[in-house]
Amino acid sequence: MCLATTPASATTTVSANPMEKVCIVGSGNWGSAISIMIGNNCRRLADCYTDVNMWVFEEDIQLDGKTRKLSQVINEQHENVKYLSGIELPHNIIAVPDLEEACRDATLLIFVLPHQFLPPLLRKLRRVVHPSCRGVSLIKGLDFDKANKKPVLISQTIEDIMSTDSNTPHPFSCGVLMGANVADEVAKGQICESTLASNFDPIDGIDMNERTRKIFDSPSFRVQHVKDVAGAEVSGALKNIVALGAGFVDGLDHLGGNTKAALLRVGMKEMIKFCRTFFEGIRDDTFLESCGMADLITTCYGGRNRKCAEAFTRRRTAESEREWNAEECEDLWKSVEKELLNGQKLQGTLACKEVYMVLESRDLLSSFPLIHKTYQIAFQGAPVDHIVDGIVIRNSPVCHSNL
């Protein structure tokens, strides 16, 4: 039995065994890569509609000497020539530039775009999704409650906005997919793992966590399920800050693999400490999943944050005789991002600023020396070789009482 499409004025009801209508919200490098697994799975799974809409922020691109719409090129050539060139997308991935049309009657929204763009988009699409709709966020970052000086999960922000003035009879639920997943390698079918963290309620006896896992899982993209959404999601955000530190090390020719390994170990300890300081229900074994240590390793060796931080370091050390101020650091990050990322955005620098703000407001910077030192280098002009001062060995217990 499938879901019937009804006029806007009618009430849509949940069928006894609803078919999945999947929509990918975002079409950058990672969004296009994950669409390969989703498209192939929706084509073969009996409980999914074959076609998968992918919302595309429309852009004009130059192709073969002509100006073309990116969505048109994706639908005609089955390739995202700007963000994932050279990789064929499944033919059932449909690029849709109209957000509401892309998400209409969707039962599963997959969010994969910079989180600063989310709130206005969510307020539009919440009116058109199916009443049973749920979400999975692939966004690696955090929101922050400035009034209460606390970090907020992006999945929680999605739930809050999607549950306000929506057409759903129950609160919107959002999980996350995090892992050691470099987009280009995933797109090429190189074997990797990922972690789905979710707590979806069953519908008519159907395990919606397992149903969701199958929409992502494939022989080359092996997905495990956990319930610790906070642990998985915060790890996905903080590892980008550690990756900045790894890039600083890589850009300093007098430091090597031993230093980088020490930085990763201290970085993981600070990630765990931050999770337990600000969130409840954190499980130790979450950090042994792909969303934890594996993602940290991959990001610190192959991710865009590491790459840009190395370039940042080499340009700063080329002018080592002078001091750098905050404005010059900001300008350099913008220049590196523009030159190296082809329109993509750095998430590590944004996360670093926001995490620093929270730690400073709670007088906790001394408990997170690596994050503190990374911020000072990235935004206050501290010498890059001071990154080693953030690699501090401590045996003190994790703090639970600073909220």
Side-chain angles (χ1 to χ4, degrees):
M1 183 179 293
C2 66
L3 299 174
T5 301
T6 61
S9 59
T11 300
T12 307
T13 58
V14 182
S15 69
N17 186 14
M19 291 277 286
E20 294 288 358
K21 185 174 182 181
V22 181
C23 175
I24 303 170
V25 184
S27 58
N29 184 240
W30 185 211
S32 298
I34 200 66
S35 78
I36 298 172
M37 270 58 66
I38 295 168
N40 289 335
N41 285 336
C42 287
R43 189 165 50 199
R44 68 176 182 81
L45 290 171
D47 52 15
C48 293
Y49 287 111
T50 298
D51 286 350
V52 176
N53 286 348
M54 180 170 70
W55 176 66
V56 174
F57 180 78
E58 193 68 283
E59 300 179 61
D60 289 330
I61 61 170
Q62 296 297 316
L63 189 66
D64 300 328
K66 298 180 181 178
T67 300
R68 304 276 303 280
K69 297 294 184 184
L70 179 58
S71 62
Q72 181 184 22
V73 173
I74 292 174
N75 288 331
E76 292 178 358
Q77 299 185 195
H78 307 292
E79 177 187 352
N80 189 332
V81 295
K82 180 170 184 179
Y83 296 111
L84 193 65
S85 62
I87 301 293
E88 183 179 9
L89 304 182
H91 290 204
N92 59 320
I93 297 295
I94 312 299
V96 182
D98 184 283
L99 177 68
E100 293 186 28
E101 188 59 33
C103 299
R104 192 171 304 282
D105 294 327
T107 62
L108 176 62
L109 296 174
I110 297 166
F111 299 98
V112 52
L113 72 168
H115 76 277
Q116 55 266 39
F117 302 136
L118 267 178
L121 300 182
L122 294 173
R123 285 189 281 271
K124 288 183 178 180
L125 63 86
R126 69 188 177 192
R127 300 190 298 262
V128 300
V129 298
H130 190 272
S132 68
C133 190
R134 66 198 186 283
V136 175
S137 171
L138 278 63
I139 301 167
K140 295 184 176 180
L142 287 171
D143 279 334
F144 287 86
D145 182 341
K146 293 183 180 179
N148 295 311
K149 301 177 181 178
K150 292 178 62 175
V152 179
L153 301 177
I154 290 175
S155 61
Q156 183 64 56
T157 298
I158 292 172
E159 289 182 349
D160 292 344
I161 297 177
M162 288 294 293
S163 297
T164 303
D165 297 328
S166 70
N167 70 333
T168 60
H170 57 82
F172 187 90
S173 180
C174 188
V176 299
L177 185 80
M178 302 284 159
N181 309 138
V182 175
D184 290 349
E185 296 180 11
V186 172
K188 293 174 183 176
Q190 298 178 11
I191 292 175
C192 65
E193 297 179 315
S194 197
T195 307
L196 173 66
S198 62
N199 294 284
F200 300 128
D201 291 334
I203 296 179
D204 294 321
I206 300 171
D207 183 345
M208 300 306 288
N209 295 302
E210 176 61 12
R211 191 174 195 177
T212 306
R213 189 193 68 82
K214 289 180 178 179
I215 290 172
F216 293 99
D217 185 66
S218 77
S220 65
F221 190 73
R222 302 169 182 179
V223 181
Q224 301 292 322
H225 176 259
V226 301
K227 294 183 178 181
D228 182 6
V229 175
E233 186 169 354
V234 177
S235 293
L238 297 189
K239 56 94 181 182
N240 286 329
I241 302 175
V242 181
L244 296 180
F248 295 156
V249 170
D250 287 343
L252 296 168
D253 293 332
H254 66 283
L255 300 179
N258 292 340
T259 308
K260 192 169 179 179
L263 182 140
L264 264 66
R265 186 192 70 81
V266 171
M268 174 56 75
K269 293 191 72 172
E270 291 195 11
M271 287 165 56
I272 295 171
K273 188 173 191 177
F274 188 93
C275 287
R276 289 186 169 169
T277 299
F278 292 101
F279 297 95
E280 298 180 351
I282 302 298
R283 293 181 55 88
D284 288 343
D285 52 3
T286 300
F287 302 101
L288 299 179
E289 297 288 346
S290 181
C291 61
M293 177 58 75
D295 195 10
L296 178 65
I297 293 171
T298 293
T299 302
C300 289
Y301 280 89
R304 72 181 74 163
N305 293 282
R306 185 221 63 81
K307 178 181 179 180
C308 288
E310 180 180 357
F312 176 92
T313 299
R314 294 196 181 281
R315 295 187 194 182
R316 279 196 55 184
T317 55
E319 302 180 43
S320 59
E321 296 302 317
R322 69 179 184 87
E323 295 182 357
W324 286 68
N325 60 40
E327 183 178 356
E328 289 173 320
C329 289
E330 288 280 5
D331 289 342
L332 181 53
W333 282 118
K334 291 175 182 177
S335 174
V336 168
E337 181 183 73
K338 182 177 180 180
E339 292 177 21
L340 298 183
L341 297 188
N342 189 34
Q344 299 178 72
K345 296 297 181 182
L346 270 178
Q347 295 301 309
T349 49
L350 179 60
C352 188
K353 289 179 180 179
E354 294 174 328
V355 167
Y356 178 88
M357 178 186 69
V358 169
L359 296 178
E360 182 183 41
S361 70
R362 292 178 171 272
D363 197 25
L364 289 172
L365 286 172
S366 63
S367 298
F368 295 85
L370 182 59
I371 293 175
H372 188 189
K373 189 57 62 177
T374 300
Y375 179 87
Q376 290 178 320
I377 293 168
F379 301 110
Q380 294 180 336
V384 185
D385 58 7
H386 285 192
I387 188 62
V388 296
D389 296 336
I391 305 173
V392 177
I393 298 174
R394 288 185 174 172
N395 296 314
S396 57
V398 170
C399 174
H400 295 271
S401 58
N402 290 300
L403 295 182

